Amino acid sequence: MKFAQSFKMAFKSILAKKGRAVLTMVSIFIGVAAVIIMVSLQQAQTDYWMEYMRNMGTNRIQVYASMWGGKDFTKQLYDFCLGMTDLVEGVTPSQTLWGTQTRYGAKNMNANLYFGSEQYGVCTNSTVAAGRDLSYMDIEKMNRVCVIGSAVKDKLFDYQNPVGARITINNQSFTVVGVYKQKFDGSEYSEDNIVLVPYSQNRLLARDTRMEQFVVKAKDAAATDKAIDRLKIYLMAMYRDRPYAGYDVYSLNQSIEEGNQQERQNMLMFGGIAAISLLVGGIGIMNIMLVTVTERTREIGVRKAIGAERRSIIAQFLIESSLVSALGGALGVILGILGTLVWIKISQNKIFYPSPFIMLLAFGVSVALGVVFGLYPAAKASRLQPVDALRNE
């Protein structure tokens, strides 16, 4: 029997038992859709995280050091960071006051207030879209100036040019000298919600003179590791034998690598869950095909009696099981695409399509399941003896 004839017979057999075929497909397309949706969600989350880290800036080192009571050593630490000129491009304090009341005229919002230096933009990959950045003289003369993020600009000024306008931060008046270009989604919940003022203003706005956090921008990945080693040695020596002191040094490169490792682990976990789901679907296919062989024993007997070869019988049942799983896989791909689009639109408010590779892989696995789990019923059918098969009721 030719392939076309086997395919036609398999298709007719599926149509003759449409209800049973659909129920068999359900487990397959649920498994395939689950694979596509879970992997796509993980990819979307990873893409978001990697974009966030790139926007924050690679080769960026976060330094945190504090000590309760006693002498404040953070100024020496800042000078030490500035002195690593062979390794770093810039250093800035990065003290933060979250949700600081910021007003312009009748409009007000809670902005994240940062105390930084003229090197803040270099250290955080922030670029000026209008006006200028902070300058060295702003720090030295304790000028009441600020640079705002795109979220603050949109909230307080709409389409008005904010450069030169005066805003109120914690009831203190500051002049806007620049606006940072949007880095994230421009929302109030992102890093675009920022008001940067000279760190020399921290006494006025934070009632404090200490600077416990710094951002150090290294020249490259190798310089990042070396700078971290130097900082750790320095901090270890500085804070040794001081019971109320603490410090931490880490780079975003480490966070990116940790994110990649987490992604690989999640992919393995999701792959395992999906594999179990598809395995259940494959067992369902085998079960249905065994029932089909039993129901069509006399038909098999007639075909063998008139000269049908074993390979012809095997091909017919393999095509039938593969066709059922392929149709289930195709439906699963469609459901996976729709599920991914809806889920990520709701959760992340963006359009994200599943990877073509994942869709092809999931579909290919579903077809392979049909072949693998249909093999035993097909072999069983091909081994039937014509006389015994024809006697079957």
Side-chain angles (χ1 to χ4, degrees):
M1 181 182 289
K2 295 181 179 179
F3 176 80
Q5 290 176 306
S6 298
F7 185 86
K8 189 180 294 183
M9 289 185 65
F11 196 70
K12 285 181 178 178
S13 174
I14 292 172
L15 288 179
K17 303 286 185 181
K18 290 190 285 293
R20 190 165 69 187
V22 169
L23 290 176
T24 307
M25 291 177 198
V26 168
S27 58
I28 295 294
F29 83 69
I30 288 177
V32 170
V35 170
I36 293 173
I37 292 173
M38 286 193 293
V39 171
S40 298
L41 288 176
Q42 178 61 34
Q43 286 182 332
Q45 186 63 35
T46 301
D47 289 352
Y48 174 83
W49 172 247
M50 296 302 287
E51 182 182 0
Y52 176 84
M53 299 304 286
R54 283 194 294 272
N55 287 333
M56 292 291 286
T58 54
N59 304 324
R60 170 176 160 167
I61 304 169
Q62 297 286 145
V63 183
Y64 169 80
S66 69
M67 186 170 63
W68 187 79
K71 185 179 178 181
D72 179 16
F73 289 100
T74 52
K75 181 64 171 65
Q76 287 96 315
L77 174 59
Y78 183 37
D79 292 338
F80 180 80
C81 294
L82 289 171
M84 294 191 296
T85 54
D86 56 327
L87 298 176
V88 305
E89 292 181 0
V91 182
T92 178
S94 186
Q95 295 292 106
T96 310
L97 290 181
W98 305 105
T100 304
Q101 187 180 56
T102 306
R103 290 190 288 115
Y104 174 67
K107 297 181 179 178
N108 68 85
M109 66 180 296
N110 291 324
N112 298 325
L113 180 64
Y114 281 75
F115 300 96
S117 73
E118 73 281 6
Q119 296 179 348
Y120 183 88
V122 173
C123 295
T124 61
N125 273 8
S126 300
T127 54
V128 174
R132 66 172 178 84
D133 212 334
L134 294 183
S135 69
Y136 177 76
M137 295 308 296
D138 290 331
I139 312 297
E140 285 297 300
K141 293 188 175 183
M142 301 175 65
N143 292 335
R144 291 194 178 190
V145 296
C146 65
V147 182
I148 62 176
S150 62
V152 179
K153 185 260 181 187
D154 293 341
K155 180 74 174 182
L156 297 183
F157 295 95
D158 291 328
Y159 296 103
Q160 182 183 349
N161 183 7
V163 177
R166 296 189 70 80
I167 63 175
T168 302
I169 307 169
N170 274 356
N171 297 320
Q172 301 294 331
S173 180
F174 281 76
T175 300
V176 178
V177 295
V179 181
Y180 281 133
K181 188 181 294 183
Q182 180 178 320
K183 292 171 61 180
F184 300 93
D185 61 3
S187 73
E188 294 181 45
Y189 309 102
S190 69
E191 294 292 328
D192 293 316
N193 182 9
I194 175 178
V195 175
L196 176 69
V197 299
Y199 68 82
S200 50
Q201 293 289 353
N202 62 343
R203 178 189 288 275
L204 174 69
L205 293 171
R207 310 299 181 192
D208 198 353
T209 58
R210 291 176 297 178
M211 295 175 292
E212 297 180 342
Q213 297 181 53
F214 301 91
V215 174
V216 179
K217 175 72 172 180
K219 292 182 177 179
D220 51 38
T224 302
D225 295 335
K226 292 179 181 176
I228 288 176
D229 290 340
R230 283 193 199 176
L231 282 164
K232 285 183 176 178
I233 292 172
Y234 178 80
L235 287 166
M236 188 181 299
M238 177 180 285
Y239 288 92
R240 184 171 53 196
D241 300 328
R242 299 181 188 280
Y244 300 110
Y247 64 87
D248 192 13
V249 182
Y250 62 93
S251 76
L252 294 188
N253 296 1
Q254 293 172 329
S255 299
I256 291 173
E257 181 57 32
E258 290 172 359
N260 289 332
Q261 290 180 357
Q262 185 64 45
E263 180 192 6
R264 288 192 285 270
Q265 292 174 358
N266 289 342
M267 293 288 279
L268 288 174
M269 181 182 71
F270 291 152
I273 295 172
I276 293 172
S277 175
L278 289 173
L279 181 64
V280 172
I283 293 172
I285 288 177
M286 179 183 284
N287 182 46
I288 291 300
M289 292 308 299
L290 286 171
V291 173
T292 301
V293 169
T294 302
E295 289 177 346
R296 294 161 61 184
T297 299
R298 286 183 61 82
E299 174 192 326
I300 297 168
V302 170
R303 289 189 57 197
K304 297 199 76 172
I306 60 176
E309 299 178 351
R310 281 194 63 192
R311 62 182 180 180
S312 175
I313 303 295
I314 291 175
Q316 179 186 345
F317 284 95
L318 277 184
I319 290 172
E320 188 170 331
S321 62
S322 303
L323 195 57
V324 170
S325 59
L327 289 172
L331 290 173
V333 170
I334 295 171
L335 183 65
I337 294 172
L338 294 176
T340 300
L341 287 170
V342 172
W343 201 323
I344 295 180
K345 179 64 178 177
I346 293 174
S347 62
Q348 299 184 19
N349 192 29
K350 68 178 183 181
I351 303 298
F352 186 91
Y353 289 98
S355 162
F357 172 75
I358 294 300
M359 290 190 289
L360 287 173
L361 181 63
F363 179 74
V365 169
S366 70
V367 175
L369 283 174
V371 175
V372 172
F373 286 92
L375 196 58
Y376 172 70
K380 182 180 179 182
S382 70
R383 285 196 295 266
L384 288 173
Q385 295 301 318
V387 176
D388 297 334
L390 289 171
R391 285 177 178 169
N392 184 66
E393 292 295 337

